[in-house]
Amino acid sequence: MPDTLTPPNIPTAPVTPAILDGLRAVVGDKGLILDEPGKEPFVRDWRGTLVGSAAVVVRPATTEEVSGVVKLCHEHGIAIVPQGGNTGLMGGATPWPTHSGIVLSLGRMNKVIEVDPVGYAMTVEAGCILQTLQETAAAHDRFFPLSLGAQGSCLIGGNLSTNAGGVQVLRYGNARNLVLGLEVVLPNGDIWNGLRSLKKDNTGYDLKHLFMGAEGTLGIITKAVLKLWPAPKDVATAWLAVRDPQAAIEILSEAHSASEDNVGSCELMSRAGVDMVMRHIPGVQDPLKADTPWFLLLEWSSSRPRTDGAEGMAEKMEQFLAEQFENGRVLDAVIAQNEAQARNMWVIRESVAPASRAEGPGLSYDVSVSTSRVPAFIEQGLKAVTDILPSIRPYPLGHIGDGNIHFSFMGPKGMDRETLRQYSPAITRAVNDLVRDMTGSISAEHGIGIEKIDELAHYRSKIELDTMRSIKRALDPKNIMNPGKILRL
Ligand code: FAD
């Protein structure tokens, strides 16, 4: 756990042998993991830096079993940490070391219940792997746009609970925009069935939005009705060397009309980030050997198939890039000629997180500001951080169309984790103060979890924090649902 964090007050009722028998009666032996090596992957976070504890990992197979487990825990005041693929980056799915309750893993609830290609909707269980859902949609000639580096292992329930972002937000919105309905097990074990596939439904408070982004603190998402879109048929993917971040946002601004509203993704990367991927991830090729500091991965896609003779996405993009070359924003560029080349570009982007894990200790801030302020944020932020630790190695990247910057740094060469940690409070304050001064957000897409619990308390107004606490207390008066995450009560 980060040194700077003191554990919150969380319920410490133990899982007694009688309660264990009760859990076994609900989920069977198959649904319980009791041995320490078996529990280990569920109590350690993706980065391997947060380690907690749990009496037992419970793996229900149905909503009714989730409800049975939660009812038992509610009755006895036992704390529950809901968990999907455990790829979250803020420690939301990691139990605190003082946690004496259970981890409830949704991994066995992995059925696609219904695909409705005509109505552009799909009903799924919360434990489906994101990539499986993308493939299921594609098999029906439809598109499920949520896309992120962890898609091979994160689960849709976790995606919705973190309101995940990723590389298609620019066009389709965050995870919460991709949902029509939800089923949720509330902290008292009741099942709320909100599995409606309605685009229009103004019947009072829209409860589903309470649970998305709540990081498991208000209930357990067990099923969802997801929106689908037409499958992309004509895609152009390009890797650009760009003059600087200001040029990047200007390119994006003009790309909307040049592509006829077909911009899918626009990802900014730095030379340092690309070099790090080349060092650690085998099999990737640098698309441009340009010795320039900034790159843009730009993708346009249309659901209209290419027809012979007509101008497709690639031709439109080529013309656009020629103009951007002339005006000096683009220094060099390559448009992928086939799927393998496009895939290589995406692998570079998606491999930054695993490459940084391999490189060594670092610091990373997932922040957002309005898109037009991204260049100023990067410039002022880099100055503020290097004033504190001049030899730190920045590799900023981001979903810049969303104003989302992963403001990331590797520690100075040779500096160990403990030494870097001593600089962390001052750097965090400098970065987050700048975010506040630019009316931005200290967490753009990764959430709060454990890691940002005190930062949220520092930067959000009393009125906002009190309103969040009122909602939490109303739904979970015993504070058993992922206690000590997002808020200290
Ligand atoms: P977990 O990590 O298991 O859980 C996340 C939170 O949700 C926890 O608080 C947990 O308690 C809660 N939770 C999980 N399932 C449920 C449920 N069914 N009901 C209620 N609460 C639940 N995130 C982005 O937004 N954009 C990115 O581009 C992105 N890229 C990533 C790349 C890599 C390589 C990695 C490792 C992570 C990345 N992430 C990204 C972060 C992470 O993948 C997302 O937050 C993802 O949505 C988490 O899903 P999960 O199933 O792993 O959830």
Side-chain angles (χ1 to χ4, degrees), residues 210 213-215 217-218 442 448 452-453 455-457 459-476 485-489:
L210 261 186
E215 300 180 50
T217 59
L218 300 179
I442 61 158
I448 300 298
K452 289 189 177 170
I453 190 167
E455 292 302 294
L456 185 79
Y459 287 102
R460 280 295 154 105
S461 67
K462 181 171 180 319
I463 216 163
E464 259 177 301
L465 293 166
D466 284 349
T467 306
M468 288 193 220
R469 284 195 187 100
S470 303
I471 293 169
K472 169 73 175 168
R473 287 189 183 119
L475 282 173
D476 184 18
K485 309 293 171 65
I486 302 183
L487 296 165
R488 289 177 193 274
L489 289 185

PDB file of all heavy atoms in Angstrom, residues 210 213-215 217-218 442 448 452-453 455-457 459-476 485-489:
ATOM      1  N   LEU A 210     -25.801   5.478 -11.258  1.00  0.00           N
ATOM      2  CA  LEU A 210     -25.209   5.492  -9.920  1.00  0.00           C
ATOM      3  C   LEU A 210     -24.135   4.422  -9.786  1.00  0.00           C
ATOM      4  O   LEU A 210     -23.129   4.603  -9.107  1.00  0.00           O
ATOM      5  CB  LEU A 210     -26.279   5.160  -8.885  1.00  0.00           C
ATOM      6  CG  LEU A 210     -26.957   6.272  -8.117  1.00  0.00           C
ATOM      7  CD1 LEU A 210     -27.850   5.654  -7.056  1.00  0.00           C
ATOM      8  CD2 LEU A 210     -25.931   7.190  -7.471  1.00  0.00           C
ATOM      9  N   GLY A 213     -19.088   3.636 -12.514  1.00  0.00           N
ATOM     10  CA  GLY A 213     -18.099   4.562 -11.944  1.00  0.00           C
ATOM     11  C   GLY A 213     -18.069   4.503 -10.419  1.00  0.00           C
ATOM     12  O   GLY A 213     -17.256   5.187  -9.806  1.00  0.00           O
ATOM     13  N   ALA A 214     -18.925   3.685  -9.800  1.00  0.00           N
ATOM     14  CA  ALA A 214     -18.959   3.607  -8.326  1.00  0.00           C
ATOM     15  C   ALA A 214     -17.908   2.652  -7.784  1.00  0.00           C
ATOM     16  O   ALA A 214     -17.764   2.513  -6.566  1.00  0.00           O
ATOM     17  CB  ALA A 214     -20.341   3.188  -7.852  1.00  0.00           C
ATOM     18  N   GLU A 215     -17.184   1.971  -8.657  1.00  0.00           N
ATOM     19  CA  GLU A 215     -16.082   1.077  -8.258  1.00  0.00           C
ATOM     20  C   GLU A 215     -16.513   0.069  -7.195  1.00  0.00           C
ATOM     21  O   GLU A 215     -15.771  -0.215  -6.234  1.00  0.00           O
ATOM     22  CB  GLU A 215     -14.878   1.903  -7.786  1.00  0.00           C
ATOM     23  CG  GLU A 215     -14.360   2.838  -8.884  1.00  0.00           C
ATOM     24  CD  GLU A 215     -13.158   3.660  -8.439  1.00  0.00           C
ATOM     25  OE1 GLU A 215     -12.202   3.077  -7.911  1.00  0.00           O
ATOM     26  OE2 GLU A 215     -13.177   4.892  -8.627  1.00  0.00           O
ATOM     27  N   THR A 217     -18.674   0.235  -4.844  1.00  0.00           N
ATOM     28  CA  THR A 217     -18.975   0.699  -3.484  1.00  0.00           C
ATOM     29  C   THR A 217     -20.471   0.769  -3.203  1.00  0.00           C
ATOM     30  O   THR A 217     -20.874   0.953  -2.057  1.00  0.00           O
ATOM     31  CB  THR A 217     -18.373   2.101  -3.217  1.00  0.00           C
ATOM     32  OG1 THR A 217     -18.924   3.014  -4.173  1.00  0.00           O
ATOM     33  CG2 THR A 217     -16.854   2.096  -3.316  1.00  0.00           C
ATOM     34  N   LEU A 218     -21.303   0.648  -4.244  1.00  0.00           N
ATOM     35  CA  LEU A 218     -22.756   0.784  -4.038  1.00  0.00           C
ATOM     36  C   LEU A 218     -23.523  -0.498  -4.346  1.00  0.00           C
ATOM     37  O   LEU A 218     -24.721  -0.582  -4.063  1.00  0.00           O
ATOM     38  CB  LEU A 218     -23.312   1.933  -4.913  1.00  0.00           C
ATOM     39  CG  LEU A 218     -22.723   3.322  -4.654  1.00  0.00           C
ATOM     40  CD1 LEU A 218     -23.344   4.352  -5.596  1.00  0.00           C
ATOM     41  CD2 LEU A 218     -22.936   3.748  -3.204  1.00  0.00           C
ATOM     42  N   ILE A 442      -8.601  15.073 -11.613  1.00  0.00           N
ATOM     43  CA  ILE A 442      -7.426  14.311 -11.152  1.00  0.00           C
ATOM     44  C   ILE A 442      -7.557  12.830 -11.496  1.00  0.00           C
ATOM     45  O   ILE A 442      -6.615  12.064 -11.315  1.00  0.00           O
ATOM     46  CB  ILE A 442      -7.163  14.467  -9.639  1.00  0.00           C
ATOM     47  CG1 ILE A 442      -8.370  13.956  -8.826  1.00  0.00           C
ATOM     48  CG2 ILE A 442      -6.804  15.904  -9.292  1.00  0.00           C
ATOM     49  CD1 ILE A 442      -8.027  13.568  -7.410  1.00  0.00           C
ATOM     50  N   ILE A 448     -10.782   6.157  -8.590  1.00  0.00           N
ATOM     51  CA  ILE A 448     -10.169   6.639  -7.342  1.00  0.00           C
ATOM     52  C   ILE A 448      -9.578   5.484  -6.544  1.00  0.00           C
ATOM     53  O   ILE A 448      -8.424   5.542  -6.113  1.00  0.00           O
ATOM     54  CB  ILE A 448     -11.238   7.387  -6.492  1.00  0.00           C
ATOM     55  CG1 ILE A 448     -11.796   8.589  -7.263  1.00  0.00           C
ATOM     56  CG2 ILE A 448     -10.646   7.816  -5.145  1.00  0.00           C
ATOM     57  CD1 ILE A 448     -10.792   9.662  -7.611  1.00  0.00           C
ATOM     58  N   LYS A 452      -6.211   7.107  -4.920  1.00  0.00           N
ATOM     59  CA  LYS A 452      -6.490   8.548  -4.972  1.00  0.00           C
ATOM     60  C   LYS A 452      -7.503   8.981  -3.925  1.00  0.00           C
ATOM     61  O   LYS A 452      -8.084  10.055  -4.041  1.00  0.00           O
ATOM     62  CB  LYS A 452      -6.975   8.932  -6.379  1.00  0.00           C
ATOM     63  CG  LYS A 452      -5.869   8.883  -7.416  1.00  0.00           C
ATOM     64  CD  LYS A 452      -6.295   9.476  -8.738  1.00  0.00           C
ATOM     65  CE  LYS A 452      -5.128   9.477  -9.719  1.00  0.00           C
ATOM     66  NZ  LYS A 452      -5.548   9.823 -11.081  1.00  0.00           N
ATOM     67  N   ILE A 453      -7.711   8.147  -2.903  1.00  0.00           N
ATOM     68  CA  ILE A 453      -8.764   8.438  -1.926  1.00  0.00           C
ATOM     69  C   ILE A 453      -8.499   9.779  -1.229  1.00  0.00           C
ATOM     70  O   ILE A 453      -9.409  10.595  -1.066  1.00  0.00           O
ATOM     71  CB  ILE A 453      -8.909   7.244  -0.933  1.00  0.00           C
ATOM     72  CG1 ILE A 453     -10.134   7.373  -0.068  1.00  0.00           C
ATOM     73  CG2 ILE A 453      -7.678   7.029  -0.098  1.00  0.00           C
ATOM     74  CD1 ILE A 453     -10.470   6.077   0.695  1.00  0.00           C
ATOM     75  N   GLU A 455      -6.488  12.206  -2.385  1.00  0.00           N
ATOM     76  CA  GLU A 455      -6.458  13.280  -3.396  1.00  0.00           C
ATOM     77  C   GLU A 455      -7.873  13.752  -3.711  1.00  0.00           C
ATOM     78  O   GLU A 455      -8.127  14.937  -3.866  1.00  0.00           O
ATOM     79  CB  GLU A 455      -5.778  12.783  -4.683  1.00  0.00           C
ATOM     80  CG  GLU A 455      -4.287  12.516  -4.522  1.00  0.00           C
ATOM     81  CD  GLU A 455      -3.535  13.756  -4.060  1.00  0.00           C
ATOM     82  OE1 GLU A 455      -3.472  14.739  -4.824  1.00  0.00           O
ATOM     83  OE2 GLU A 455      -3.024  13.750  -2.931  1.00  0.00           O
ATOM     84  N   LEU A 456      -8.811  12.807  -3.799  1.00  0.00           N
ATOM     85  CA  LEU A 456     -10.205  13.198  -4.049  1.00  0.00           C
ATOM     86  C   LEU A 456     -10.694  14.096  -2.907  1.00  0.00           C
ATOM     87  O   LEU A 456     -11.292  15.145  -3.137  1.00  0.00           O
ATOM     88  CB  LEU A 456     -11.103  11.963  -4.162  1.00  0.00           C
ATOM     89  CG  LEU A 456     -12.546  12.284  -4.549  1.00  0.00           C
ATOM     90  CD1 LEU A 456     -12.662  12.537  -6.049  1.00  0.00           C
ATOM     91  CD2 LEU A 456     -13.503  11.158  -4.153  1.00  0.00           C
ATOM     92  N   ALA A 457     -10.400  13.680  -1.667  1.00  0.00           N
ATOM     93  CA  ALA A 457     -10.833  14.462  -0.501  1.00  0.00           C
ATOM     94  C   ALA A 457     -10.199  15.860  -0.527  1.00  0.00           C
ATOM     95  O   ALA A 457     -10.814  16.836  -0.108  1.00  0.00           O
ATOM     96  CB  ALA A 457     -10.456  13.733   0.780  1.00  0.00           C
ATOM     97  N   TYR A 459      -9.258  17.614  -3.281  1.00  0.00           N
ATOM     98  CA  TYR A 459      -9.617  18.491  -4.414  1.00  0.00           C
ATOM     99  C   TYR A 459     -11.112  18.681  -4.625  1.00  0.00           C
ATOM    100  O   TYR A 459     -11.511  19.620  -5.295  1.00  0.00           O
ATOM    101  CB  TYR A 459      -8.977  17.975  -5.712  1.00  0.00           C
ATOM    102  CG  TYR A 459      -7.483  18.224  -5.718  1.00  0.00           C
ATOM    103  CD1 TYR A 459      -6.587  17.203  -5.444  1.00  0.00           C
ATOM    104  CD2 TYR A 459      -6.975  19.503  -5.938  1.00  0.00           C
ATOM    105  CE1 TYR A 459      -5.220  17.429  -5.411  1.00  0.00           C
ATOM    106  CE2 TYR A 459      -5.608  19.738  -5.903  1.00  0.00           C
ATOM    107  CZ  TYR A 459      -4.732  18.705  -5.643  1.00  0.00           C
ATOM    108  OH  TYR A 459      -3.390  18.957  -5.597  1.00  0.00           O
ATOM    109  N   ARG A 460     -11.946  17.776  -4.129  1.00  0.00           N
ATOM    110  CA  ARG A 460     -13.381  17.951  -4.363  1.00  0.00           C
ATOM    111  C   ARG A 460     -14.002  18.753  -3.226  1.00  0.00           C
ATOM    112  O   ARG A 460     -13.554  18.673  -2.076  1.00  0.00           O
ATOM    113  CB  ARG A 460     -14.063  16.587  -4.526  1.00  0.00           C
ATOM    114  CG  ARG A 460     -13.865  16.010  -5.928  1.00  0.00           C
ATOM    115  CD  ARG A 460     -14.569  16.887  -6.943  1.00  0.00           C
ATOM    116  NE  ARG A 460     -13.974  16.783  -8.268  1.00  0.00           N
ATOM    117  CZ  ARG A 460     -14.517  16.122  -9.284  1.00  0.00           C
ATOM    118  NH1 ARG A 460     -15.636  15.469  -9.121  1.00  0.00           N
ATOM    119  NH2 ARG A 460     -13.929  16.129 -10.457  1.00  0.00           N
ATOM    120  N   SER A 461     -15.071  19.507  -3.534  1.00  0.00           N
ATOM    121  CA  SER A 461     -15.681  20.380  -2.536  1.00  0.00           C
ATOM    122  C   SER A 461     -16.392  19.553  -1.471  1.00  0.00           C
ATOM    123  O   SER A 461     -16.774  18.398  -1.701  1.00  0.00           O
ATOM    124  CB  SER A 461     -16.686  21.298  -3.221  1.00  0.00           C
ATOM    125  OG  SER A 461     -17.761  20.513  -3.690  1.00  0.00           O
ATOM    126  N   LYS A 462     -16.584  20.175  -0.301  1.00  0.00           N
ATOM    127  CA  LYS A 462     -17.271  19.501   0.805  1.00  0.00           C
ATOM    128  C   LYS A 462     -18.663  19.070   0.345  1.00  0.00           C
ATOM    129  O   LYS A 462     -19.128  17.972   0.662  1.00  0.00           O
ATOM    130  CB  LYS A 462     -17.352  20.469   1.986  1.00  0.00           C
ATOM    131  CG  LYS A 462     -18.017  19.873   3.211  1.00  0.00           C
ATOM    132  CD  LYS A 462     -17.883  20.782   4.411  1.00  0.00           C
ATOM    133  CE  LYS A 462     -18.531  20.220   5.669  1.00  0.00           C
ATOM    134  NZ  LYS A 462     -19.801  19.560   5.521  1.00  0.00           N
ATOM    135  N   ILE A 463     -19.293  19.932  -0.424  1.00  0.00           N
ATOM    136  CA  ILE A 463     -20.666  19.645  -0.849  1.00  0.00           C
ATOM    137  C   ILE A 463     -20.709  18.384  -1.728  1.00  0.00           C
ATOM    138  O   ILE A 463     -21.592  17.532  -1.581  1.00  0.00           O
ATOM    139  CB  ILE A 463     -21.265  20.889  -1.556  1.00  0.00           C
ATOM    140  CG1 ILE A 463     -22.727  21.021  -1.233  1.00  0.00           C
ATOM    141  CG2 ILE A 463     -21.093  20.925  -3.018  1.00  0.00           C
ATOM    142  CD1 ILE A 463     -23.287  22.390  -1.527  1.00  0.00           C
ATOM    143  N   GLU A 464     -19.713  18.255  -2.605  1.00  0.00           N
ATOM    144  CA  GLU A 464     -19.672  17.056  -3.472  1.00  0.00           C
ATOM    145  C   GLU A 464     -19.382  15.808  -2.645  1.00  0.00           C
ATOM    146  O   GLU A 464     -20.026  14.770  -2.806  1.00  0.00           O
ATOM    147  CB  GLU A 464     -18.574  17.212  -4.525  1.00  0.00           C
ATOM    148  CG  GLU A 464     -19.107  17.621  -5.880  1.00  0.00           C
ATOM    149  CD  GLU A 464     -17.998  17.848  -6.880  1.00  0.00           C
ATOM    150  OE1 GLU A 464     -17.126  18.716  -6.618  1.00  0.00           O
ATOM    151  OE2 GLU A 464     -17.987  17.180  -7.915  1.00  0.00           O
ATOM    152  N   LEU A 465     -18.403  15.928  -1.745  1.00  0.00           N
ATOM    153  CA  LEU A 465     -18.023  14.761  -0.930  1.00  0.00           C
ATOM    154  C   LEU A 465     -19.168  14.356  -0.004  1.00  0.00           C
ATOM    155  O   LEU A 465     -19.472  13.168   0.134  1.00  0.00           O
ATOM    156  CB  LEU A 465     -16.769  15.080  -0.111  1.00  0.00           C
ATOM    157  CG  LEU A 465     -15.498  15.285  -0.937  1.00  0.00           C
ATOM    158  CD1 LEU A 465     -14.396  15.915  -0.090  1.00  0.00           C
ATOM    159  CD2 LEU A 465     -15.000  13.959  -1.528  1.00  0.00           C
ATOM    160  N   ASP A 466     -19.844  15.357   0.586  1.00  0.00           N
ATOM    161  CA  ASP A 466     -20.970  15.031   1.485  1.00  0.00           C
ATOM    162  C   ASP A 466     -22.110  14.377   0.711  1.00  0.00           C
ATOM    163  O   ASP A 466     -22.768  13.461   1.212  1.00  0.00           O
ATOM    164  CB  ASP A 466     -21.476  16.297   2.189  1.00  0.00           C
ATOM    165  CG  ASP A 466     -20.544  16.717   3.316  1.00  0.00           C
ATOM    166  OD1 ASP A 466     -19.647  15.919   3.669  1.00  0.00           O
ATOM    167  OD2 ASP A 466     -20.692  17.840   3.832  1.00  0.00           O
ATOM    168  N   THR A 467     -22.344  14.847  -0.514  1.00  0.00           N
ATOM    169  CA  THR A 467     -23.427  14.237  -1.318  1.00  0.00           C
ATOM    170  C   THR A 467     -23.068  12.786  -1.647  1.00  0.00           C
ATOM    171  O   THR A 467     -23.911  11.889  -1.560  1.00  0.00           O
ATOM    172  CB  THR A 467     -23.651  15.053  -2.613  1.00  0.00           C
ATOM    173  OG1 THR A 467     -23.871  16.410  -2.252  1.00  0.00           O
ATOM    174  CG2 THR A 467     -24.847  14.544  -3.390  1.00  0.00           C
ATOM    175  N   MET A 468     -21.802  12.560  -2.003  1.00  0.00           N
ATOM    176  CA  MET A 468     -21.381  11.173  -2.288  1.00  0.00           C
ATOM    177  C   MET A 468     -21.541  10.310  -1.037  1.00  0.00           C
ATOM    178  O   MET A 468     -22.019   9.179  -1.109  1.00  0.00           O
ATOM    179  CB  MET A 468     -19.920  11.144  -2.749  1.00  0.00           C
ATOM    180  CG  MET A 468     -19.697  11.692  -4.145  1.00  0.00           C
ATOM    181  SD  MET A 468     -18.022  11.253  -4.697  1.00  0.00           S
ATOM    182  CE  MET A 468     -17.517  12.723  -5.535  1.00  0.00           C
ATOM    183  N   ARG A 469     -21.150  10.855   0.120  1.00  0.00           N
ATOM    184  CA  ARG A 469     -21.262  10.067   1.370  1.00  0.00           C
ATOM    185  C   ARG A 469     -22.726   9.765   1.682  1.00  0.00           C
ATOM    186  O   ARG A 469     -23.056   8.668   2.138  1.00  0.00           O
ATOM    187  CB  ARG A 469     -20.644  10.844   2.543  1.00  0.00           C
ATOM    188  CG  ARG A 469     -19.150  10.811   2.515  1.00  0.00           C
ATOM    189  CD  ARG A 469     -18.530  11.250   3.852  1.00  0.00           C
ATOM    190  NE  ARG A 469     -17.090  11.353   3.668  1.00  0.00           N
ATOM    191  CZ  ARG A 469     -16.442  12.499   3.462  1.00  0.00           C
ATOM    192  NH1 ARG A 469     -17.092  13.646   3.444  1.00  0.00           N
ATOM    193  NH2 ARG A 469     -15.142  12.486   3.262  1.00  0.00           N
ATOM    194  N   SER A 470     -23.623  10.734   1.409  1.00  0.00           N
ATOM    195  CA  SER A 470     -25.059  10.500   1.686  1.00  0.00           C
ATOM    196  C   SER A 470     -25.578   9.355   0.829  1.00  0.00           C
ATOM    197  O   SER A 470     -26.341   8.511   1.300  1.00  0.00           O
ATOM    198  CB  SER A 470     -25.894  11.745   1.364  1.00  0.00           C
ATOM    199  OG  SER A 470     -25.418  12.826   2.080  1.00  0.00           O
ATOM    200  N   ILE A 471     -25.155   9.326  -0.439  1.00  0.00           N
ATOM    201  CA  ILE A 471     -25.606   8.244  -1.331  1.00  0.00           C
ATOM    202  C   ILE A 471     -25.076   6.904  -0.819  1.00  0.00           C
ATOM    203  O   ILE A 471     -25.804   5.915  -0.721  1.00  0.00           O
ATOM    204  CB  ILE A 471     -25.121   8.509  -2.781  1.00  0.00           C
ATOM    205  CG1 ILE A 471     -25.817   9.753  -3.347  1.00  0.00           C
ATOM    206  CG2 ILE A 471     -25.394   7.300  -3.675  1.00  0.00           C
ATOM    207  CD1 ILE A 471     -25.234  10.263  -4.659  1.00  0.00           C
ATOM    208  N   LYS A 472     -23.794   6.898  -0.475  1.00  0.00           N
ATOM    209  CA  LYS A 472     -23.170   5.660   0.023  1.00  0.00           C
ATOM    210  C   LYS A 472     -23.912   5.168   1.274  1.00  0.00           C
ATOM    211  O   LYS A 472     -24.264   3.991   1.390  1.00  0.00           O
ATOM    212  CB  LYS A 472     -21.692   5.935   0.314  1.00  0.00           C
ATOM    213  CG  LYS A 472     -20.958   4.851   1.083  1.00  0.00           C
ATOM    214  CD  LYS A 472     -20.671   3.605   0.259  1.00  0.00           C
ATOM    215  CE  LYS A 472     -19.832   2.599   1.059  1.00  0.00           C
ATOM    216  NZ  LYS A 472     -19.785   1.292   0.418  1.00  0.00           N
ATOM    217  N   ARG A 473     -24.163   6.086   2.225  1.00  0.00           N
ATOM    218  CA  ARG A 473     -24.800   5.672   3.495  1.00  0.00           C
ATOM    219  C   ARG A 473     -26.230   5.200   3.263  1.00  0.00           C
ATOM    220  O   ARG A 473     -26.719   4.283   3.931  1.00  0.00           O
ATOM    221  CB  ARG A 473     -24.784   6.825   4.489  1.00  0.00           C
ATOM    222  CG  ARG A 473     -23.388   7.059   5.034  1.00  0.00           C
ATOM    223  CD  ARG A 473     -23.390   8.055   6.199  1.00  0.00           C
ATOM    224  NE  ARG A 473     -22.026   8.300   6.637  1.00  0.00           N
ATOM    225  CZ  ARG A 473     -21.440   9.492   6.603  1.00  0.00           C
ATOM    226  NH1 ARG A 473     -22.087  10.556   6.167  1.00  0.00           N
ATOM    227  NH2 ARG A 473     -20.193   9.616   7.018  1.00  0.00           N
ATOM    228  N   ALA A 474     -26.918   5.830   2.293  1.00  0.00           N
ATOM    229  CA  ALA A 474     -28.313   5.442   2.030  1.00  0.00           C
ATOM    230  C   ALA A 474     -28.382   4.023   1.468  1.00  0.00           C
ATOM    231  O   ALA A 474     -29.253   3.236   1.833  1.00  0.00           O
ATOM    232  CB  ALA A 474     -28.949   6.433   1.050  1.00  0.00           C
ATOM    233  N   LEU A 475     -27.452   3.693   0.578  1.00  0.00           N
ATOM    234  CA  LEU A 475     -27.509   2.371  -0.068  1.00  0.00           C
ATOM    235  C   LEU A 475     -26.787   1.297   0.743  1.00  0.00           C
ATOM    236  O   LEU A 475     -27.115   0.120   0.640  1.00  0.00           O
ATOM    237  CB  LEU A 475     -26.871   2.447  -1.467  1.00  0.00           C
ATOM    238  CG  LEU A 475     -27.743   3.070  -2.550  1.00  0.00           C
ATOM    239  CD1 LEU A 475     -26.953   3.238  -3.832  1.00  0.00           C
ATOM    240  CD2 LEU A 475     -28.970   2.213  -2.818  1.00  0.00           C
ATOM    241  N   ASP A 476     -25.799   1.715   1.526  1.00  0.00           N
ATOM    242  CA  ASP A 476     -24.935   0.730   2.197  1.00  0.00           C
ATOM    243  C   ASP A 476     -24.671   1.177   3.635  1.00  0.00           C
ATOM    244  O   ASP A 476     -23.534   1.484   4.003  1.00  0.00           O
ATOM    245  CB  ASP A 476     -23.619   0.616   1.403  1.00  0.00           C
ATOM    246  CG  ASP A 476     -22.675  -0.441   1.953  1.00  0.00           C
ATOM    247  OD1 ASP A 476     -23.131  -1.318   2.713  1.00  0.00           O
ATOM    248  OD2 ASP A 476     -21.479  -0.378   1.622  1.00  0.00           O
ATOM    249  N   LYS A 485     -12.908   2.476  -0.188  1.00  0.00           N
ATOM    250  CA  LYS A 485     -12.555   2.827  -1.561  1.00  0.00           C
ATOM    251  C   LYS A 485     -13.327   4.111  -1.908  1.00  0.00           C
ATOM    252  O   LYS A 485     -14.446   4.301  -1.439  1.00  0.00           O
ATOM    253  CB  LYS A 485     -12.941   1.724  -2.543  1.00  0.00           C
ATOM    254  CG  LYS A 485     -12.438   0.335  -2.157  1.00  0.00           C
ATOM    255  CD  LYS A 485     -10.919   0.216  -2.225  1.00  0.00           C
ATOM    256  CE  LYS A 485     -10.418  -1.094  -1.628  1.00  0.00           C
ATOM    257  NZ  LYS A 485     -10.836  -2.295  -2.338  1.00  0.00           N
ATOM    258  N   ILE A 486     -12.747   4.929  -2.710  1.00  0.00           N
ATOM    259  CA  ILE A 486     -13.257   6.236  -3.148  1.00  0.00           C
ATOM    260  C   ILE A 486     -13.331   7.227  -1.981  1.00  0.00           C
ATOM    261  O   ILE A 486     -12.752   8.300  -2.040  1.00  0.00           O
ATOM    262  CB  ILE A 486     -14.642   6.164  -3.851  1.00  0.00           C
ATOM    263  CG1 ILE A 486     -14.584   5.236  -5.076  1.00  0.00           C
ATOM    264  CG2 ILE A 486     -15.085   7.560  -4.286  1.00  0.00           C
ATOM    265  CD1 ILE A 486     -15.883   5.160  -5.868  1.00  0.00           C
ATOM    266  N   LEU A 487     -14.056   6.858  -0.907  1.00  0.00           N
ATOM    267  CA  LEU A 487     -14.315   7.793   0.196  1.00  0.00           C
ATOM    268  C   LEU A 487     -13.914   7.179   1.529  1.00  0.00           C
ATOM    269  O   LEU A 487     -14.089   5.985   1.737  1.00  0.00           O
ATOM    270  CB  LEU A 487     -15.824   8.076   0.296  1.00  0.00           C
ATOM    271  CG  LEU A 487     -16.516   8.764  -0.850  1.00  0.00           C
ATOM    272  CD1 LEU A 487     -18.022   8.608  -0.692  1.00  0.00           C
ATOM    273  CD2 LEU A 487     -16.145  10.248  -0.892  1.00  0.00           C
ATOM    274  N   ARG A 488     -13.425   8.037   2.429  1.00  0.00           N
ATOM    275  CA  ARG A 488     -13.375   7.640   3.835  1.00  0.00           C
ATOM    276  C   ARG A 488     -14.694   8.100   4.429  1.00  0.00           C
ATOM    277  O   ARG A 488     -15.071   9.250   4.274  1.00  0.00           O
ATOM    278  CB  ARG A 488     -12.238   8.363   4.554  1.00  0.00           C
ATOM    279  CG  ARG A 488     -10.853   7.882   4.148  1.00  0.00           C
ATOM    280  CD  ARG A 488      -9.801   8.722   4.862  1.00  0.00           C
ATOM    281  NE  ARG A 488      -8.495   8.489   4.267  1.00  0.00           N
ATOM    282  CZ  ARG A 488      -7.675   7.494   4.615  1.00  0.00           C
ATOM    283  NH1 ARG A 488      -8.026   6.642   5.556  1.00  0.00           N
ATOM    284  NH2 ARG A 488      -6.505   7.347   4.022  1.00  0.00           N
ATOM    285  N   LEU A 489     -15.389   7.223   5.127  1.00  0.00           N
ATOM    286  CA  LEU A 489     -16.700   7.627   5.690  1.00  0.00           C
ATOM    287  C   LEU A 489     -16.508   8.240   7.070  1.00  0.00           C
ATOM    288  O   LEU A 489     -15.547   7.971   7.752  1.00  0.00           O
ATOM    289  CB  LEU A 489     -17.629   6.422   5.764  1.00  0.00           C
ATOM    290  CG  LEU A 489     -18.130   5.907   4.419  1.00  0.00           C
ATOM    291  CD1 LEU A 489     -19.141   4.801   4.638  1.00  0.00           C
ATOM    292  CD2 LEU A 489     -18.758   7.011   3.581  1.00  0.00           C
TER     293      LEU A 489
END
